[in-house]
């Protein structure tokens, strides 16, 4: 079972090259923008910013794409897939840094009863566990070209940011621009998806997902401004 016909999807990309390339550029820019804000804020506030499960899923998603080099460059040999490969080589490096920042800053916040080496081992095991979850979901979806999983990963951390705010009861590690970036990425990807496979991506269940994950970051921003500002430790 597949979500779309691969050959038809790639042909549709070639028929709408300029608008799809523009969407790709916007999405990639805001992906790096999201990670840059997260890295800077983590260093400044000494807290992890990208929730661990989100960072681990981003890592496995992008690494899976990167490891399929032969498929993108030789089997399909298509510019859309090649451009994504180059972009995701960079995001994989950022995602490893995000996971490291969880190790660096989250020990006392998450599992203070463990020693730092044991906490590091838990991070590694957790990352492997998320990878197993990701593999099961990915290879049962029929999403050969990652169209749907790009949209899912763009929004995946949003609910976990809600959880962080509820647990921390402050704006620590939260950014309005990061929340807005997820909306821009989701809509940019959806604009592409609607052109390449309109039957699936124009379906009520996909559009309901888009509406939900557009409103959720806005709800996070609403919650953010009702919480106390981050206060650095004395």
């Amino acid at each position: 079972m597949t979500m779309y016909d691969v050959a038809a999807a790639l042909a549709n990309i070639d028929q709408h090259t300029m608008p799809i390339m523009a969407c790709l550029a916007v999405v990639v820019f805001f992906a790096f923008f999201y990670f840059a804000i997260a890295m800077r804020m983590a260093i400044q506030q000494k807290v992890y910013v990208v929730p661990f499960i989100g960072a681990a899923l981003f890592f496995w998603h992008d690494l899976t794409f990167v490891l399929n080099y032969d498929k993108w460059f030789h089997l399909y040999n298509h510019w859309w897939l090649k451009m994504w490969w180059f972009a995701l080589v960079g995001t994989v490096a950022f995602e490893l840094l995000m996971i490291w920042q969880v190790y660096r800053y989250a020990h006392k916040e998450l599992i203070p009863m463990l020693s730092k080496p044991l906490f590091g081992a838990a991070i590694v095991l957790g990352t492997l566990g998320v990878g197993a979850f990701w593999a099961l979901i990915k290879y049962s979806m029929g999403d050969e070209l990652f169209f749907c999983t790009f949209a899912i990963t763009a929004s995946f951390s949003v609910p976990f940011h809600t959880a962080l705010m509820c647990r921390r009861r402050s704006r620590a590690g939260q950014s309005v621009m990061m929340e807005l970036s997820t909306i821009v990425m989701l809509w940019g990807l959806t604009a592409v998806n609607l052109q390449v496979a309109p039957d699936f991506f124009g379906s009520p269940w996909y559009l309901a997902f888009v509406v939900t994950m557009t409103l959720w970051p806005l709800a996070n921003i609403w919650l953010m401004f009702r919480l106390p500002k981050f206060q650095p430790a004395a």
Side-chain angles (χ1 to χ4, degrees):
M1 179 181 176
T2 59
M3 295 179 177
Y4 45 80
D5 179 87
V6 170
L10 293 176
N12 286 339
I13 289 176
D14 290 333
Q15 291 174 10
H16 303 89
T17 299
M18 293 309 296
I20 285 179
M21 190 176 291
C23 290
L24 171 63
V26 169
V27 171
V28 170
F29 173 82
F30 276 94
F32 282 99
F33 183 58
Y34 177 97
F35 287 128
I37 293 172
M39 287 186 61
R40 179 180 57 81
M41 187 177 297
I43 293 169
Q44 288 178 343
Q45 298 186 3
K46 308 301 181 188
V47 297
Y48 72 100
V49 175
V50 178
F52 168 68
I53 294 177
L57 188 83
F58 297 160
F59 168 72
W60 285 112
H61 173 276
D62 294 359
L63 182 64
T64 303
F65 195 99
V66 169
L67 292 178
N68 275 286
Y69 173 92
D70 188 65
K71 181 186 290 187
W72 312 139
F73 282 78
H74 299 130
L75 176 61
Y76 293 123
N77 190 28
H78 193 276
W79 66 267
W80 165 263
L81 301 168
K82 294 176 182 179
M83 290 181 72
W84 268 117
W85 187 89
F86 284 110
L88 297 188
V89 168
T91 60
V92 167
F94 272 101
E95 288 144 7
L96 282 171
L97 284 172
M98 297 302 101
I99 294 171
W100 178 83
Q101 286 185 334
V102 175
Y103 169 74
R104 174 70 177 83
Y105 298 120
H107 178 212
K108 292 182 179 179
E109 181 178 347
L110 293 180
I111 320 179
M113 70 286 298
L114 292 183
S115 66
K116 196 64 179 283
L118 282 178
F119 180 68
I123 292 294
V124 171
L125 290 174
T127 302
L128 292 174
V130 172
F133 172 81
W134 155 250
L136 177 63
I137 297 299
K138 174 64 179 76
Y139 292 106
S140 62
M141 286 181 69
D143 184 21
E144 171 73 1
L145 302 182
F146 287 63
F147 289 124
C148 192
T149 59
F150 276 129
I152 291 171
T153 52
S155 304
F156 188 77
S157 277
V158 170
F160 295 99
H161 280 285
T162 311
L164 277 180
M165 284 188 281
C166 291
R167 183 164 53 78
R168 289 172 173 167
R169 298 184 181 277
S170 79
R171 299 183 205 172
Q174 303 302 318
S175 163
V176 171
M177 293 308 300
M178 286 177 67
E179 298 288 340
L180 293 177
S181 293
T182 68
I183 298 175
V184 175
M185 287 187 284
L186 176 60
W187 278 89
L189 292 163
T190 297
V192 172
N193 292 346
L194 287 170
Q195 294 182 73
V196 299
D199 289 344
F200 179 82
F201 294 107
S203 64
W205 45 88
Y206 179 80
L207 295 178
F209 161 75
V210 172
V211 171
T212 300
M213 299 316 298
T214 298
L215 296 176
W216 201 320
L218 298 177
N220 277 352
I221 293 170
W222 176 88
L223 177 60
M224 204 180 300
F225 284 104
R226 279 149 185 80
L227 291 170
K229 293 182 179 180
F230 170 74
Q231 296 295 332

